[in-house]
Structure formats: structure tokens, C-alpha cells
Amino acid sequence: MRHVLALVFAINKINQDPELLPNITLGFRIYESFFSARKTYESSFTLLSTRNGMIPNYNCDTQDKLSAVIGGLGSETSLQMATILGIYKIPQVRAVGCGWVSLLSQTGFPSVYRMLPNEEPQSLGLVRLMQHFRWTWVGLIASDDDSGEKFVQTLKPMLIRNSICVAFTERAPHVPSPSMVHVFREQTSKLHSSISQTKAEVIVVYGDTDSLLGFKLFLHTNYQTALTPIGKVWITTAQWDFTSYIALNRWTLKPFHGALSFAVHTKEVPGFRDFLRTLNPYQPQGDIFIQRFWHTVFNCSIPYAGLTIKGGRNCSGKEELESLPGSDFEMKMSGQSYSIYNGVYAVAHALHALYSSKSKKELHPFLKNVRFNNSAGDKLYFDENGESSAGYNILNWIVFPNDSFVRVEVGHMDPRAPVGQEFTINERAIVWNSRFNQTVPRSVCTESCHPGYFRTVREEEPLCCYNCAPCPEGTISNQTDADHCNKCPEDRYPNRDQDKCIPKIMDFLSYEEPLGFILASFALLFSLLTALVLGMFIKHRDTPIVRANNRELSYVLLFSLLLCFLCSLVFIGRPGRVTCLLRQTAFGVIFSVSVSSVLAKTITVVLAFKATKPGASMRKWLGRRLASSIVVSCSLIQVGICAVWLGTTPPFPDLDMKSEAGHILVQCNEGSNIAFYCVLGYMGFLAIVSFTVAFLARKLPDTFNEAKFITFSMLVFCSVWVSFIPTYLSTKGKYMVAVEIFSILAASAGLLGCIFIPKCYIIVLRPELNTREQLVMKSKSGTQEL
């Protein structure tokens, strides 16, 4: 009835328009197809024949010339009509039904035009809708005809390309005839099993009004009889007006509460509501449907038309259509009624162009090129495929307990919109099925893999069904349903949950941490102690014990030991370019001076005792020259090694991002490990020589004889550095630096303690032993003052 009223309203408005088809009056005839191919063909031939007669290829009417046909309402009906009308090149404007027949205009049926938009944007809109809500597991129910098959074949690949899987595909059952009730029960049982057993909460339903009557009956029966009615999110296409026939059969709409439907774009048409308010069953004005419609929706009698209700009231004619629930009648044009309205106007504008041209051409060229703005402000035209350029609205169905409903526009799909703006959806405006407690339904085969996990495919199952596995060590995934895990940048590392990368901690031996503070404190303490010993030796420089042990070499040794303690501080703190250059080279040169001084003292002691023998030729070697030559020459060799090192592959600051998880080791890259071990090796060589010489001189007279002390100090020195190498190689980062600092402090403290502490004991606590008489008295072989 809505479609009929839209047609009547459009014809009346055109006939009242003085500028559109002036002096020409449009009329119309309406025929029913009864969902029968035979009746459709018969009606088509009747349209082509003289009024009140059906004679193929014969029409002698002079006024009632057929200009165009609006219809049919179903896909099968449209095809059957096109088969007949196409022979006579009568334009067929299709405003309702499934869209696969749009291909008729391109495949042998150029007379078919569609006021409905192309179905491709609708299919794309379905995909975008599912992507927006992250629905990856959906069901498909399509009409059991060619258009349903084509829809499934078109939509399925689009879904798969966008990582959306189809849980099941079923055909909608047909309304059963009495003899086919058992078949209907089998079909609905299989359909119910697919729907109830699937995890899919979202089901797409495709078909036109007629082909889905059986599906509506199935839902109605399920709601009335089942203990737990089916509660799903139904997504319907624009081809299905599922409120049709509801009033007649009193089938409930409650299963569709919260449904989303695509609808052909529509607007409020000026004057349509006023037109509806003028309708009166007692003034049909040629409308043969109004009385039966009024009798049905208002449940009243119209006696003279033979429409009575036993014991019921008579229709007054003043009943208001606005008072009817939406399931019975809507005052606003639906998308399909709006398409019929626009289809009538398209034919009228084409006829106007035809008569204005005063040519005897067919209507087709003018209909193909028609362009006009309707009274609602929409610009209408047919594209090269004979299809409308309109888009789709997305409606949310809200059904109330009394089966009244409202349709709320919550989005749209407009193929003419700028790129990226074709699809819009207002999620907050949607009312969901009461089963979901107003939370967005989840329609997935498997619960999403949280960040920190990635998807692994299940064998022989769709891609949407997967397992979740934790990311491998050292990788992260920061999104839901990640296909793989990614490594963090070198300066970052995964957090505990492996869902994000966090900056690595810069790790180096600093003064603020306990280890660095303790080592720095010991370095300063030993430096202070060395300075005190040096000051004591300078103060008592003329005493026999200081003079007997070559005080100049003692000064050099004490000063070099002071620098050894202080150079360890260069190893603490963040490595820089200068500190990296100074660390090992300063350590190597200063220690070489220290060990060279010890070697010089040892050789001097040996020569001193050898020179006391009668006729000894060693006297000429004694003196400051020998000691200075030993210290300078041995130190210069180390300086040369360091100079070659710095000149070829100097040390530089480096960041080690891989050795320790979560840390960036800020360290000095030695540049050349060979050069570094050459420095250590040469220093060890000097120590071994000193130890050997001192060991050989250990039995010389022990009054002020340093040989034993030097032997022990070199033993400590070599022990420290021999243990240093494996320990140094087995550590990383700041602990490697701490090992070297500890070795420097231990070796230096060993030299200081073994060589100078005994002398300090005599100077401070036993000054009576620090005399020349004591020296001469205790000498067995005699000594000479150096």
C-alpha cells in the first residue's frame, strides 16, 4: 500500500505541475503478479494489449498508450517482465527488489533501468561495518534463488580478502504449501541448528520481501515457541522490507530488535504527509485498495464494500493513519517507496524531453540522459549501467514490547563521497539486542589475542579461527590479533608483558651507585696514604733508611703509585672520547713507570752488594744514571706501544645493546685488543724481570735490603694481574670496569704496602733503628752509602 500511495502521489503531483508535461495527463494501471510466473507473463501481455482485453500484439487504444512500467517488486518477477517488455522496448524502471537484475541492462535487456543504487557499494558497506566493529565470524542467509546465489558469490570473496570469515551459509526457506510442510520443517530445523550452534553473533540476511517470507515465519515461530529465542544481530540488505506482510499475518518484529539494515537513501518528500491525511475509504477516487487496507489496519467494517467484521464497529473515515504503529503503516516514505516516487518522476522528465524535442524517437535515449532535482532536493540520474547514483542509509531497528518500532539512521554508505568518507557509523546511537546488555556484540571464532601474543593458524580451519601464542623472547606485539611479533629497536627492549618497547637503561659504572662510590673512596684513600708516605720520605730524606734505598727512585715510585691510584678514577663515570683515550694508555704508562722503578731499585740493590767485594768492577755502574736510564728506557717502550695504538686504532666510546637485556652498556671500545694486550704483556714482562732479579737477590744481607720486599710485592703484583685476565674476559659492562679498577688498586696497594710500609714503621715507630750505627752494626759483609 505504501508503494501504491507513493505512485499515486507522484502521478498527482506531476499532473498538477504546469511546467512538467503541460497539457498531458499521466495515468496508471496496477497489476498483481501473485508470485506466479504465469500470472506475471499474463499481466505483462495485458499491459501491452487493449484495455479490458489481452490480445498479444494488438492494441487499438488511442489515449491509454503505455509509456513505461514501474516494477516488479521481486527479482524473479522483474526478470519475467523484462523478457516480455524487452521485446517491445518498453522501458522498465525497477525501484524495489534484489539488484542482480541490474545486469539485465548490460546483458540483452537494455530496457531495464534501476532507481536502486548498485549493490557493490552495499557489499562494501557490509564489509566496512564488520571491520568497524571487528566482527570476523559471521553467518550468511540468502534467498533460495539466483540473486541469493550471486550475492553469496560476490560477498564471500570480499569478506575473505578483508580477513572476515563466514561461519555458515544457509538458504532461506520458502513459505510452505500444505503439502510441503515437512520440507519446511526440515529446512528450518537445519537453519536453527546452524544459527544456534555457531559462535557468530552477527548474521547477514539477503533477499527481497517475497523470497524471505519463509525466514520471517521461521523467526516468528521460534520467538513464540522457543524457551530461549534466537538473539542475534541481524544485518539486512536494502532489498528486504521486512515489515511488509507483518500486519496482515501478525508476525512479531521482536527478533529484529537491535538489527541493522541497509536502506536505499530517502528524504522527507514535501506534501506526502498532507496527502496521506486526505485519504478516506469512502472517497476512494478510483483507489481500489484503500477500502480493504482501511478495513485491515483499523479493524473496522465498510458495509457497502462487503468488508465487515462480526460485532465490530463501522469505519468512520476519520481514522488517522498517524495513529497506526510502524509495523502497520509509516507516514514517511521508505527507501523503496522513495525509489518508486523518483522512478515515476524520471519517466515524466524523459517524456517531457521527448515531447519537447518533437521527434518520433523512442523514450530510451531521453530516459538514459535524464537529470533532475526532485522536490526533496536530491539530484537524480542514471549512470552508464542504467542505475541510480543514490547511496545507502544504515538504520537501527528499535522494537518495543507492543511490536511498534522506530528506525533510527545511524550511518550511511555513499559511493559519491570523498575517498575515506564513503562509510560513516554513529556507534553511540545504536541500540543493541537486549541479550547483549547494550555492549557492542563480539562476533569472532576465537577470542582476540591480546598484545604480547600473536596468532597461529589452526590446521584445516578458517583463518579467523586461530590459537594465541606468546611472543618469543625479545619480541613484542602491541596490537590485538597480531599476525607476528616484532623486534624492538636496538635502544629499547620488551617489557614484562611483551606488549611495548621501553627504553633500555644506560649502564655504566657511576659515582652514584655503591660499587662506584666504594672503589672511588678506596682510590682516594690509597692516594692520600701514598701522599703521606711520599711526604714522610721527603721529610726524612736524610735518614739512612731513606738514603739507603735510593731516595730518588723511591720518590719516582711513590709519585707513580699516587698517579696509579688516581688514574683509576678515570674509569668511573660515563665514558667519553677523552676518557676512553686516557684510560688504558695512562694506566699502562704509569704502571710501566712504577714497575720500571721497582726493577731499577732491584738492580741497584744487587749491584750495590756486588760492588762491595774487593776488586769488583761493578762500582762504575752505580749511581743515579743507571737508575734513571732503566726507568726512562723501560717507560719509553710502553709510551711507544701506546703511541702506535692511539695512532692506528684508538679507543672510542661505544654502546653495547645486545649483551644484557634491558641495558645499554656504555663502554670504551679498545679499538684494538691486540694493542691492549701488548700493553698488559709488556707490563707483565717488566714485573717478571723484577720478580726474577729480586728473587735471586733475596739472600743478600738484609739490613735495609729491599730485595725480599720487592720479591713479595712482585709476587702480589703478578698474582693480581694473572687473575685479572680471565676475570676481565668473563664480565661485561660496568663489572668489567670494576674488575680493572680493583686490579689497579690491588696491584698498586701491594707495591705500596710491601715496599714502603716496613720503612714507614721504622721511621715512625722505631726511629732508633734508623741510624748509621745500626746500619753498620748489622751489616755482615759491609755496605757503602749510596
Side-chain angles (χ1 to χ4, degrees):
M1 190 63 191
R2 285 182 313 201
H3 300 337
V4 170
L5 292 175
L7 175 70
V8 172
F9 175 71
I11 295 290
N12 289 343
K13 294 296 288 184
I14 293 169
N15 289 335
Q16 295 168 10
D17 190 341
E19 296 183 358
L20 184 60
L21 291 175
N23 302 321
I24 296 175
T25 301
L26 295 182
F28 62 91
R29 281 188 277 171
I30 297 177
Y31 288 87
E32 176 63 82
S33 67
F34 295 100
F35 311 123
S36 164
R38 178 180 177 279
K39 193 65 179 178
T40 301
Y41 287 125
E42 180 183 329
S43 298
S44 300
F45 278 118
T46 303
L47 282 170
L48 296 166
S49 304
T50 301
R51 182 183 292 195
N52 301 324
M54 198 276 287
I55 305 174
N57 295 324
Y58 177 74
N59 189 332
C60 61
D61 292 332
T62 58
Q63 288 189 331
D64 296 339
K65 293 293 185 180
L66 180 63
S67 298
V69 176
I70 308 293
L73 298 186
S75 56
E76 295 294 335
T77 304
S78 295
L79 178 59
Q80 292 154 4
M81 291 172 58
T83 304
I84 301 300
L85 299 176
I87 298 174
Y88 298 91
K89 298 183 180 180
I90 301 297
Q92 178 183 348
V93 180
R94 216 165 159 262
V96 183
C98 295
W100 77 278
V101 193
S102 65
L103 297 176
L104 295 177
S105 59
Q106 306 170 50
T107 56
F109 294 91
S111 299
V112 178
Y113 300 85
R114 296 183 67 241
M115 290 310 301
L116 297 173
N118 189 290
E119 281 195 15
E120 185 176 345
Q122 179 177 239
S123 299
L124 183 59
L126 287 169
V127 174
R128 293 288 179 266
L129 183 65
M130 294 173 196
Q131 286 178 324
H132 176 83
F133 290 109
R134 297 182 180 178
W135 294 331
T136 58
W137 190 240
V138 299
L140 290 183
I141 299 176
S143 55
D144 191 12
D145 52 26
D146 291 340
S147 61
E149 180 65 28
K150 180 172 178 58
F151 172 77
V152 171
Q153 292 177 356
T154 301
L155 184 62
K156 256 190 174 182
M158 294 180 66
L159 295 175
I160 294 172
R161 283 196 300 270
N162 290 275
S163 302
I164 301 168
C165 301
V166 177
F168 66 88
T169 302
E170 293 291 347
R171 299 300 178 186
H174 294 286
V175 176
S177 62
S179 62
M180 299 295 289
V181 172
H182 67 287
V183 176
F184 178 77
R185 287 176 178 172
E186 291 177 0
Q187 291 175 331
T188 54
S189 175
K190 181 175 181 293
L191 181 60
H192 182 271
S193 177
S194 297
I195 294 174
S196 59
Q197 293 179 9
T198 183
K199 292 182 179 179
E201 301 290 358
V202 176
I203 299 176
V204 178
V205 182
Y206 177 89
D208 58 28
T209 302
D210 301 328
S211 62
L212 294 176
L213 277 175
F215 178 70
K216 286 191 291 187
L217 176 59
F218 158 72
L219 288 181
H220 170 77
T221 305
N222 173 266
Y223 187 84
Q224 297 295 334
T225 60
L227 294 176
T228 306
I230 295 172
K232 299 289 185 180
V233 177
W234 303 104
I235 301 179
T236 65
T237 57
Q239 291 72 23
W240 184 23
D241 181 6
F242 57 76
T243 59
S244 298
Y245 304 101
I246 294 289
L248 181 62
N249 297 289
R250 295 301 169 192
W251 292 344
T252 182
L253 275 173
K254 293 184 180 68
F256 296 104
H257 177 63
L260 297 173
S261 67
F262 282 75
V264 178
H265 169 72
T266 183
K267 276 189 176 181
E268 185 75 27
V269 177
F272 186 64
R273 288 178 182 269
D274 296 333
F275 166 73
L276 295 177
R277 293 188 184 104
T278 65
L279 297 178
N280 191 314
Y282 297 111
Q283 299 175 0
Q285 299 178 349
D287 188 345
I288 63 174
F289 303 106
I290 187 65
Q291 293 175 342
R292 182 172 294 277
F293 169 74
W294 213 271
H295 161 71
T296 301
V297 296
F298 290 111
N299 197 28
C300 59
S301 301
I302 304 178
Y304 79 88
L307 302 171
T308 59
I309 296 177
K310 188 176 181 180
R313 65 179 181 86
N314 290 336
C315 299
S316 66
K318 296 182 180 180
E319 292 85 1
E320 295 181 353
L321 292 175
E322 289 176 294
S323 65
L324 294 173
S327 57
D328 288 349
F329 192 80
E330 290 182 275
M331 297 294 286
K332 180 183 177 182
M333 281 189 187
S334 68
Q336 296 179 346
S337 299
Y338 187 65
S339 296
I340 291 174
Y341 170 83
N342 289 329
V344 175
Y345 263 91
V347 173
H349 279 277
L351 287 171
H352 183 85
L354 174 63
Y355 290 129
S356 298
S357 68
K358 297 181 181 181
S359 67
K360 295 183 179 182
K361 293 181 181 179
E362 295 178 347
L363 185 60
H364 285 292
F366 299 96
L367 194 54
K368 288 180 180 178
N369 298 316
V370 69
R371 285 179 178 267
F372 64 97
N373 292 331
N374 66 8
S375 58
D378 280 340
K379 185 175 182 179
L380 299 172
Y381 58 91
F382 293 109
D383 62 16
E384 63 275 7
N385 295 322
E387 297 175 332
S388 168
S389 59
Y392 292 91
N393 294 334
I394 302 175
L395 307 178
N396 179 216
W397 289 78
I398 303 172
V399 182
F400 301 102
N402 63 352
D403 262 338
S404 62
F405 68 91
V406 293
R407 290 182 289 191
V408 179
E409 185 176 331
V410 294
H412 72 269
M413 181 66 196
D414 186 359
R416 298 170 299 180
V419 177
Q421 301 178 22
E422 302 95 338
F423 176 82
T424 60
I425 190 74
N426 182 5
E427 184 177 330
R428 295 183 179 180
I430 299 175
V431 175
W432 300 107
N433 189 291
S434 55
R435 176 169 166 261
F436 302 108
N437 297 320
Q438 203 46 34
T439 59
V440 177
R442 290 184 56 76
S443 189
V444 294
C445 177
T446 307
E447 284 301 316
S448 296
C449 295
H450 298 295
Y453 292 79
F454 71 103
R455 299 188 297 184
T456 58
V457 179
R458 296 178 183 173
E459 291 186 6
E460 298 183 357
E461 290 195 34
L463 292 177
C464 302
C465 301
Y466 47 80
N467 295 319
C468 297
C471 287
E473 185 177 354
T475 61
I476 64 113
S477 65
N478 56 5
Q479 61 184 7
T480 303
D481 289 334
D483 291 322
H484 58 273
C485 299
N486 300 312
K487 288 186 177 181
C488 290
E490 284 194 340
D491 60 340
R492 294 174 177 267
Y493 72 103
N495 63 346
R496 180 177 297 178
D497 296 329
Q498 290 184 272
D499 58 0
K500 64 179 178 180
C501 296
I502 56 178
K504 290 183 178 180
I505 300 171
M506 292 289 186
D507 194 24
F508 56 88
L509 187 63
S510 65
Y511 291 100
E512 288 76 15
E513 60 181 297
L515 182 59
F517 177 79
I518 291 172
L519 291 174
S521 299
F522 273 107
L524 293 175
L525 178 63
F526 284 126
S527 299
L528 179 61
L529 184 60
T530 305
L532 290 175
V533 173
L534 178 59
M536 188 182 299
F537 265 57
I538 293 174
K539 181 179 180 180
H540 299 86
R541 61 184 177 276
D542 294 325
T543 60
I545 198 169
V546 175
R547 297 181 64 195
N549 288 282
N550 198 327
R551 59 188 176 191
E552 287 78 13
L553 281 177
S554 296
Y555 295 158
V556 172
L557 178 58
L558 284 170
F559 185 71
S560 63
L561 288 176
L562 175 63
L563 293 179
C564 284
F565 288 123
L566 292 176
C567 83
S568 64
L569 298 177
V570 182
F571 289 80
I572 303 175
R574 178 164 184 152
R577 184 173 180 81
V578 175
T579 54
C580 286
L581 291 173
L582 290 178
R583 275 186 181 183
Q584 305 297 358
T585 54
F587 150 70
V589 171
I590 293 171
F591 254 96
S592 295
V593 173
S594 299
V595 179
S596 299
S597 300
V598 173
L599 177 61
K601 288 174 72 70
T602 307
I603 293 175
T604 301
V605 169
V606 172
L607 291 180
F609 282 102
K610 294 288 185 181
T612 58
K613 296 180 180 181
S617 61
M618 295 292 180
R619 287 180 177 271
K620 61 181 179 180
W621 295 103
L622 296 177
R624 295 178 181 176
R625 271 183 148 185
L626 176 63
S628 301
S629 300
I630 293 172
V631 173
V632 171
S633 59
C634 292
S635 300
L636 283 177
I637 294 174
Q638 187 72 288
V639 170
I641 294 173
C642 293
V644 173
W645 183 8
L646 295 178
T648 54
T649 53
F652 58 89
D654 192 17
L655 301 177
D656 182 359
M657 301 183 183
K658 298 179 180 179
S659 295
E660 289 188 20
H663 292 79
I664 298 177
L665 303 183
V666 185
Q667 59 189 12
C668 288
N669 189 312
E670 307 304 347
S672 171
N673 288 327
I674 295 176
F676 173 63
Y677 289 115
C678 284
V679 169
L680 289 181
Y682 178 71
M683 196 168 58
F685 169 75
L686 292 178
I688 291 172
V689 172
S690 297
F691 173 76
T692 303
V693 175
F695 180 78
L696 295 176
R698 70 189 185 284
K699 295 183 178 180
L700 294 175
D702 60 354
T703 302
F704 305 135
N705 179 16
E706 291 182 304
K708 291 182 180 180
F709 300 125
I710 292 174
T711 302
F712 189 68
S713 67
M714 286 295 101
L715 181 62
V716 172
F717 184 90
C718 292
S719 300
V720 168
W721 289 108
V722 167
S723 60
F724 159 78
I725 293 176
T727 309
Y728 182 82
L729 293 176
S730 62
T731 54
K732 294 287 184 181
K734 62 183 179 183
Y735 299 106
M736 177 186 287
V737 176
V739 167
E740 187 166 358
I741 294 174
F742 176 80
S743 300
I744 291 172
L745 295 179
S748 302
L751 292 177
L752 179 66
C754 295
I755 297 176
F756 293 101
I757 294 303
K759 298 176 178 56
C760 293
Y761 171 77
I762 293 174
I763 293 173
V764 177
L765 299 178
R766 301 293 299 276
E768 67 276 8
L769 300 178
N770 190 12
T771 61
R772 183 178 177 82
E773 291 75 14
Q774 187 68 23
L775 176 67
V776 175
M777 181 183 65
K778 289 191 176 182
S779 177
K780 295 181 179 180
S781 59
T783 62
Q784 64 180 16
E785 185 177 344
L786 301 179

